[in-house]
Amino acid sequence: GIRNTTACGERQVVPAGTLFEKDADDMLPFATNQLVVVNVTGEELWLMLEHSATLLGQVGEAGAAGYFLQVHGVALEVNCAGTPQSLSSGGDRILTRGGRVDPARVFVDGTALDLRATYPVLMNSFVGGAGDGFLALALRNPDDSIIPGANGKKQPKPSTFVLIDGARVSEADALKRYVRTHGVVAPRVEGRIRVLASCVPSQ
């Protein structure tokens, strides 16, 4: 849900200094993107990362897609020489699982990813609802086709909304609370996502 468009045009960075509430609302403008926790298997987490890397390396496409995941507590390596994940034209089945993210090179809190383990993952409700093609978060058959609900649409895995003082929390609300609690936010490059040269467009 991160965006760089503001009332004053596109902005690539937030300058050092005071962070205003409007800054948070500009960066995270979707109030319906509320925080949820979804219990995913290691395999499902890997499939999410594979889908995230699908369009990397394609000129003009990766940014337009907008679904590359930013992560915390996870370290991974992306090699665009591998096969990208592909979905059916109707977006109801994972046709090719992908080979751009080696699960053996994914670490969760410093520990190697276990494809059979279960991990509680905090995300926004749009992704948690299997939006943007994240079919790893939909109920699926063994052939990776979705199990449609009564309305014929995909059914997301169960999720739990994050509540603070009994109310659901949007991404922007969470950012504002974080800044108010910490006072000073000093981001640094942590090397969570390593993108290999194969993902750098040649033109």
Side-chain angles (χ1 to χ4, degrees):
I2 302 170
R3 295 293 183 269
N4 66 349
T5 302
T6 72
C8 298
E10 291 194 357
R11 180 173 62 182
Q12 298 302 318
V13 298
V14 177
T18 302
L19 184 72
F20 295 93
E21 286 199 19
K22 186 67 168 66
D23 293 321
D25 292 333
D26 283 342
M27 287 186 286
L28 300 163
F30 305 108
T32 55
N33 276 359
Q34 297 162 337
L35 300 184
V36 297
V37 175
V38 183
N39 289 318
V40 302
T41 65
E43 182 179 51
E44 290 165 342
L45 179 56
W46 164 65
L47 286 172
M48 290 175 64
L49 298 174
E50 280 287 356
H51 180 64
S52 172
T54 298
L55 293 179
L56 279 185
Q58 297 183 35
V59 177
E61 293 294 331
Y67 53 71
F68 186 84
L69 294 175
Q70 301 301 321
V71 297
H72 176 71
V74 176
L76 66 141
E77 181 179 281
V78 183
N79 182 357
C80 292
T83 304
Q85 187 177 105
S86 65
L87 308 181
S88 63
S89 58
D92 58 0
R93 182 180 176 187
I94 301 173
L95 297 177
T96 306
R97 289 186 149 207
R100 292 185 160 194
V101 178
D102 181 352
R105 300 186 67 81
V106 176
F107 297 87
V108 179
D109 289 332
T111 302
L113 178 70
D114 182 343
L115 295 176
R116 288 184 249 182
T118 298
Y119 301 92
V121 181
L122 178 72
M123 62 189 76
N124 71 48
S125 52
F126 177 70
V127 173
D132 258 349
F134 284 100
L135 297 190
L137 294 169
L139 300 182
R140 305 185 320 283
N141 294 302
D143 67 353
D144 276 336
S145 62
I146 66 165
I147 301 173
N151 60 2
K153 298 182 179 179
K154 59 180 176 264
Q155 303 178 80
K157 290 172 62 69
S159 62
T160 303
F161 282 97
V162 173
L163 302 179
I164 298 181
D165 298 329
R168 296 177 180 180
V169 183
S170 72
E171 293 174 303
D173 290 337
L175 176 60
K176 294 172 192 176
R177 287 174 179 270
Y178 183 89
V179 174
R180 289 190 187 109
T181 299
H182 291 80
V184 176
V185 177
R188 64 188 186 280
V189 175
E190 297 180 1
R192 291 172 286 194
I193 303 171
R194 184 176 175 226
V195 179
L196 301 188
S198 58
C199 296
V200 179
S202 58
Q203 53 177 329

